[in-house]
């Protein structure tokens, strides 16, 4: 007996590993399971690459708001092949999302979620959520301008949750603003919580696959009937199925090998993602874009009318997730062939077309601020006529703080943010104060660059921006007593000066 055989025998005697691996390698799969069935294995391969490269990067990355950006530059420029490790980590993340989406689409179109694989689908949907969360938190790890604005959009969405919005945003950011605590929390999510949860779900997903088997290629006329499906499936698998290894595993290895080569080529040619510009909330002359899998959200947020933005952001994602989880409950039997399920195919085509179109708009649309809005266009006369001294002071601050780079007034100004002409009909006094100080959506926080007196003057002016015919009962917070609004303006020794960074 050779040395290697003795080592293998010793290891097998102590661990019993073959009892664990054997069923995975020898379980029988349908003979018709060809190339459509390789995307799940590719998703798992890229996840393993994520873990391996993530461990390497975690030994060098500094999860500190002051040092994260520089540590990435150090990895790219000083560590031998550090840039390549980062590139592989980034490109394998994108590849994992892509393979996961293709795998999910194949299962949906082939009706593979029907009885008895309902729970397998549900676990797969949860894996999709974890994968997207890993991708989002990974983008935050770059902690550059894209990461900052991505966090701002995420915090804005959370902030709009009724009743608990403030608390949820504070939990997400670790405070009122994006800072060191924010990065620490997302680092813990990205490195510990989400990978651990994903590993558990992957194990559960594979256990369910072994228990219920892989679905066959759908054929028109072969319907799923829970009363007869399992005995018939087991009889067909026993009669015509093939072992996973080497028959099906060979195709998985060929596809995974090709996908790995393509990913390595992209990583070597294009290099790592970011970091882009230094994260600075006072820099609004920027054009941040999320990674490709969130471009459709970026575009939707920019195109949605303000009136429907909040309801859609709050209601849309939970409803969509719940609908995906309940698909196998609502359609657990019947035809699986796409040719016999035209409505499903049309629905899939509409969803894919919408996502691709929005993603393309997210790449190409010039949603940049109008950076000369403050230099040549003063606040129109109709918006300052009859205003109090405090409100006029606020109009001046609007001018000097360059608010109209992003917000139009009287038809002049940028279009990145909503127009200010009727802002008092959308936001109450307190909401205006919070928006100016804490930011949200595409707007940076000005809490550290404006004094309290300057903020009060700006909000006093914004609170007047509404049509004259709108009754007070339709103005948010107009009937409530607000000290900042209802107290008469008083002269203060520290007269407002133009804020730092706005000149």
């Amino acid at each position: 007996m050779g040395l290697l055989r003795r080592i293998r025998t010793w290891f097998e005697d102590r661990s019993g590993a073959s009892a664990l691996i054997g069923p995975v390698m020898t379980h029988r799969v349908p003979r018709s399971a060809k190339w459509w069935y390789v995307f799940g294995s590719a998703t798992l391969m890229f996840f393993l690459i994520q873990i391996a490269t993530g461990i390497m990067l975690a030994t060098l990355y500094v999860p500190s708001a002051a040092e994260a950006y520089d540590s990435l530059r150090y990895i790219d420029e000083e560590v031998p092949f550090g840039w390549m490790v980062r590139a592989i980590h980034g490109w394998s993340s994108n590849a994992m999302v892509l393979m996961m989406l293709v795998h999910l689409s194949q299962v949906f179109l082939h009706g593979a979620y029907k009885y008895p694989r309902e729970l397998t689908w549900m676990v797969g949907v949860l894996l999709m959520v974890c994968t997207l969360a890993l991708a989002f938190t990974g983008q935050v790890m770059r902690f550059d301008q894209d990461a900052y604005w991505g966090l701002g959009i995420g915090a804005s969405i959370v902030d709009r949750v009724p009743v608990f919005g403030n608390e949820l945003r504070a939990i997400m950011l670790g405070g009122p603003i994006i800072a060191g605590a924010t990065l620490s929390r997302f680092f813990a999510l990205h490195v510990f919580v989400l990978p651990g949860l994903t590993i558990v779900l992957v194990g559960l997903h594979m256990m369910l696959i072994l228990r219920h088997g892989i679905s066959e290629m759908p054929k028109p006329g072969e319907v799923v009937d829970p009363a007869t499906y399992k005995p018939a499936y087991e009889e067909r698998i026993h009669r015509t199925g093939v072992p996973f290894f080497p028959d099906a595993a060979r195709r998985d290895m060929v596809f995974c090998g090709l996908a790995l080569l393509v990913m390595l080529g992209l990583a070597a040619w294009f290099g790592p993602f970011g970091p882009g510009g230094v994260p600075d909330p006072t820099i609004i002359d920027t054009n941040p874009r999320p990674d490709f899998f969130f471009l459709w959200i970026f575009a939707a947020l920019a195109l949605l009318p303000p009136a429907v933005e909040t309801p859609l952001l709050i209601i849309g994602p939970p409803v969509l997730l719940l609908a995906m989880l309940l698909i196998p409950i609502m359609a657990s039997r019947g035809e699986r062939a796409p040719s016999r399920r035209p409505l499903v195919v049309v629905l899939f085509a509409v969803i894919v077309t919408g996502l691709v179109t929005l993603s393309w708009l997210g790449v190409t649309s010039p949603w940049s601020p109008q950076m000369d809005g403050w230099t040549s266009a003063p606040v129109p006369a109709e918006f300052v006529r009859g205003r109090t001294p405090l409100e006029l002071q606020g109009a001046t601050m609007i001018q000097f703080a360059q608010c109209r780079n992003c917000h139009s007034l009287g038809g002049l100004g940028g279009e990145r943010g909503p127009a200010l002409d009727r802002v008092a009909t959308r936001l109450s006094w307190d909401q205006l104060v919070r928006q100016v100080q804490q930011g949200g959506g595409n707007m940076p926080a000005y809490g550290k660059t404006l004094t309290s007196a300057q903020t009060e003057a700006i909000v006093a002016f914004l609170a007047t921006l509404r049509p004259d015919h709108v009754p007070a009962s339709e103005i948010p917070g107009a009937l409530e007593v607000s000290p900042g609004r209802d107290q008469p303006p008083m002269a203060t020794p520290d007269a407002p000066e133009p804020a730092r960074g706005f000149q």
Side-chain angles (χ1 to χ4, degrees), residues 69-70 72-73 76 86 139 142-147 272-280 286 288:
Y69 187 87
D70 290 334
L72 291 178
R73 297 290 301 271
D76 286 348
R86 278 201 62 231
Q139 181 176 338
R142 296 204 292 266
F143 213 61
D144 53 7
Q145 280 290 78
D146 287 349
F273 293 93
V278 177
D280 186 344
T286 181

Side-chain angles (χ1 to χ4, degrees), residues 400-434:
F400 282 113
Q402 306 179 19
C403 300
R404 296 176 67 199
N405 287 340
C406 296
H407 300 278
S408 67
L409 186 59
L412 293 176
E415 297 180 353
R416 169 167 288 181
L420 297 178
D421 301 57
R422 299 168 60 92
V423 67
T425 64
R426 301 194 303 272
L427 300 176
S428 68
W429 180 281
D430 291 340
Q431 289 171 328
L432 286 168
V433 171
R434 187 175 60 191

Side-chain angles (χ1 to χ4, degrees), residues 394-473:
T396 305
M397 284 304 305
I398 291 282
Q399 184 83 10
F400 282 113
Q402 306 179 19
C403 300
R404 296 176 67 199
N405 287 340
C406 296
H407 300 278
S408 67
L409 186 59
L412 293 176
E415 297 180 353
R416 169 167 288 181
L420 297 178
D421 301 57
R422 299 168 60 92
V423 67
T425 64
R426 301 194 303 272
L427 300 176
S428 68
W429 180 281
D430 291 340
Q431 289 171 328
L432 286 168
V433 171
R434 187 175 60 191
Q435 185 69 23
V436 171
Q437 291 184 335
Q438 302 178 357
N442 287 330
M443 180 173 169
Y446 287 95
K448 291 186 176 179
T449 54
L450 292 173
T451 65
S452 297
Q454 290 171 331
T455 300
E456 184 178 345
I458 289 176
V459 172
F461 173 68
L462 294 176
T464 68
L465 299 181
R466 65 178 190 272
D468 294 335
H469 63 275
V470 175
S473 59

Side-chain angles (χ1 to χ4, degrees), residues 247-503:
D247 297 74
R250 185 183 299 121
R251 280 186 293 275
D252 283 354
M253 288 187 285
V254 169
F255 181 78
C256 288
L258 292 174
L260 180 62
L261 289 176
V262 172
M263 186 274 291
L264 290 175
L266 291 171
W269 184 263
F270 292 102
F273 293 93
V278 177
D280 186 344
T282 65
I283 298 176
I284 59 174
D285 186 11
T286 181
N287 193 23
R289 305 280 161 161
D291 290 342
F292 82 91
F293 25 80
F294 295 120
L295 279 171
W296 66 276
I297 299 179
F298 178 80
L301 285 173
L303 293 174
L304 282 175
V308 302
E309 192 175 272
T310 297
L312 206 59
L313 285 173
I314 300 302
I315 300 173
V319 169
L320 179 61
L321 179 61
L322 185 62
M324 292 185 70
L325 289 172
L326 293 181
I327 284 176
I329 303 300
M330 295 184 292
S332 64
R333 60 174 65 203
E335 287 278 358
R336 289 182 52 224
S339 60
R340 298 291 181 90
R341 300 157 60 225
L343 288 179
V344 170
V345 175
V346 170
L347 176 63
F348 177 79
V350 169
I351 293 174
V352 171
T353 303
L355 292 178
V356 171
T357 303
L358 285 174
S359 298
W360 178 251
L361 290 173
V363 173
T364 59
S365 296
W367 291 318
S368 297
Q370 180 177 313
M371 301 308 293
D372 61 350
W374 70 285
T375 58
S376 59
V379 175
E382 62 267 29
F383 292 101
V384 297
R385 190 174 296 123
R387 281 359 186 226
T388 67
L390 179 65
E391 292 161 356
L392 290 175
Q393 192 177 39
T396 305
M397 284 304 305
I398 291 282
Q399 184 83 10
F400 282 113
Q402 306 179 19
C403 300
R404 296 176 67 199
N405 287 340
C406 296
H407 300 278
S408 67
L409 186 59
L412 293 176
E415 297 180 353
R416 169 167 288 181
L420 297 178
D421 301 57
R422 299 168 60 92
V423 67
T425 64
R426 301 194 303 272
L427 300 176
S428 68
W429 180 281
D430 291 340
Q431 289 171 328
L432 286 168
V433 171
R434 187 175 60 191
Q435 185 69 23
V436 171
Q437 291 184 335
Q438 302 178 357
N442 287 330
M443 180 173 169
Y446 287 95
K448 291 186 176 179
T449 54
L450 292 173
T451 65
S452 297
Q454 290 171 331
T455 300
E456 184 178 345
I458 289 176
V459 172
F461 173 68
L462 294 176
T464 68
L465 299 181
R466 65 178 190 272
D468 294 335
H469 63 275
V470 175
S473 59
E474 297 183 10
I475 300 172
L479 302 181
E480 301 171 2
V481 175
S482 175
R485 180 193 61 203
D486 299 325
Q487 285 178 352
M490 300 176 62
T492 56
D494 54 337
E497 297 177 357
R500 286 186 301 121
F502 296 156
Q503 303 175 41

